[in-house]
Amino acid sequence: MSLAFKNIFHGYGGLEVLKDVSFKTEPGRITVLLGPSGCGKSTLLKLAAGFEKPVMGSVCFNESPVTGPGVERGMMFQTPVLFDWLTVAGNVAFGLRQAGVRGKEQQDRVNRFMALTGLADFKDYYPGALSGGMQQRAALARLLVMEPQCLLMDEPFSGLDAQLRPKMQELVLSVWRDLRPTVLFVTHDVEEALVLGHRILVFSKRPGHIVKDIERALEKKDPLDQLTDPGFGKEKKNILEILRDL
Ligand SMILES: Nc1ncnc2c1ncn2[C@@H]1O[C@H](COP(=O)(O)OP(=O)(O)OP(=O)(O)O)[C@@H](O)[C@H]1O
């Protein structure tokens, strides 16, 4: 269940985006990619998802080269990707139907992941009737129902209100406690990186490369408890200093 990036160089036309990036995620842990806008964080997720191939270097999942998208690596975007014409339950069931999972098994899996993401009472709602946070819950349920081993999360909460974000972060932590997926989470928010990350990789400005690899405790408290922890401010300051000096 681990992703390995080896000597990745990538760019678009004449734009150099990633420069010699190598790291391997720990199985069943949350690795956060943190860095300034445009340094290539989302590009790394696209390479992991198999949407693009690196110009140089390799991406492997469980020791096998990534050659294209696969259900074992599920991606979540900043804007929830939902079908407006299907109910929440219909959206969550969509991938299962495509995969030929039907009947009671489909129903059980949809119900399980709607409950896990706090959507049990919203199954007959259409996405347009949901708040942004609920839409992201539905997007997460839709991803989780396919039982991916690895979650690729590209700033999924950056469009949400500040008071909603700790709730969504708690959701990620509770999903992680239940299912222990390997998570690669992109953010440019230092607090979010600290709240979620078991490991934080800090990237330079473009062309992005890793400037700091920070290991953190495995046990994760509730986001609000973490934010008010006396040591939290010091860790945040250390990272902000790294980002300031880039
Ligand atoms: N398909 C593409 N074609 C051309 N340029 C691209 C493409 N995708 C990304 N870029 C450029 O590559 C650079 C890195 O983009 P990327 O989205 O990976 O950065 P990021 O670190 O995730 O930034 P942000 O935090 O702002 O989302 C940016 O300058 C972006 O404009």
Side-chain angles (χ1 to χ4, degrees):
M1 291 220 306
S2 82
L3 268 168
F5 297 84
K6 201 165 170 207
N7 304 114
I8 300 288
F9 289 78
H10 197 62
Y12 302 96
L15 187 74
E16 205 184 358
V17 174
L18 293 166
K19 190 177 175 184
D20 202 9
V21 175
S22 298
F23 67 95
K24 189 173 177 183
T25 61
E26 296 291 321
R29 304 242 178 120
I30 302 175
T31 302
V32 173
L33 310 182
L34 176 74
S37 184
C39 72
K41 305 179 297 294
S42 302
T43 301
L44 270 171
L45 286 200
K46 285 189 258 177
L47 298 175
F51 298 153
E52 294 183 17
K53 288 196 173 65
V55 171
M56 272 171 67
S58 65
V59 185
C60 289
F61 183 63
N62 292 342
E63 317 290 333
S64 301
V66 170
T67 54
V71 284
E72 72 284 0
R73 287 162 284 121
M75 181 126 169
M76 191 169 166
F77 303 89
Q78 191 173 336
T79 311
V81 182
L82 295 168
F83 298 127
D84 289 342
W85 60 91
L86 293 177
T87 61
V88 172
N91 269 282
V92 177
F94 184 83
L96 293 176
R97 264 203 311 278
Q98 296 290 100
V101 179
R102 291 172 196 270
K104 186 172 181 316
E105 188 189 346
Q106 184 192 102
Q107 203 57 49
D108 288 350
R109 277 168 72 171
V110 167
N111 288 341
R112 175 176 175 219
F113 289 100
M114 300 244 302
L116 196 74
T117 51
L119 286 170
D121 295 336
F122 294 86
K123 66 182 175 59
D124 296 327
Y125 281 56
Y126 285 88
L130 298 178
S131 65
M134 294 309 260
Q135 288 185 15
Q136 278 301 36
R137 283 176 190 267
L140 182 59
R142 201 176 123 155
L143 191 65
L144 294 175
V145 80
M146 301 309 290
E147 301 183 345
Q149 298 167 34
C150 175
L151 301 180
L152 305 168
M153 307 184 83
D154 192 2
E155 304 204 44
F157 312 136
S158 60
L160 302 180
D161 294 345
Q163 69 267 35
L164 203 56
R165 293 179 70 145
K167 275 193 183 161
M168 298 306 287
Q169 290 158 359
E170 177 49 33
L171 175 65
V172 172
L173 291 176
S174 77
V175 163
W176 176 78
R177 283 183 207 107
D178 272 13
L179 307 173
R180 300 280 162 156
T182 300
V183 181
L184 203 52
F185 193 103
V186 164
T187 185
H188 56 250
D189 182 304
V190 176
E191 286 190 354
E192 185 159 78
L194 285 165
V195 162
L196 295 178
H198 298 127
R199 181 184 181 194
I200 301 172
L201 300 174
V202 184
F203 280 76
S204 70
K205 285 183 191 156
R206 195 176 61 234
H209 56 272
I210 296 168
V211 292
K212 191 84 181 171
D213 186 344
I214 303 167
E215 289 287 345
R216 304 192 65 255
L218 269 189
E219 276 316 306
K220 288 282 179 195
K221 290 193 271 186
D222 178 271
L224 288 181
D225 290 336
Q226 289 195 59
L227 288 169
T228 48
D229 196 284
F232 192 90
K234 192 164 174 288
E235 281 193 280
K236 182 176 167 184
K237 181 165 179 269
N238 288 343
I239 295 180
L240 285 171
E241 281 173 353
I242 295 169
L243 292 170
R244 183 195 59 195
D245 297 339
L246 288 176

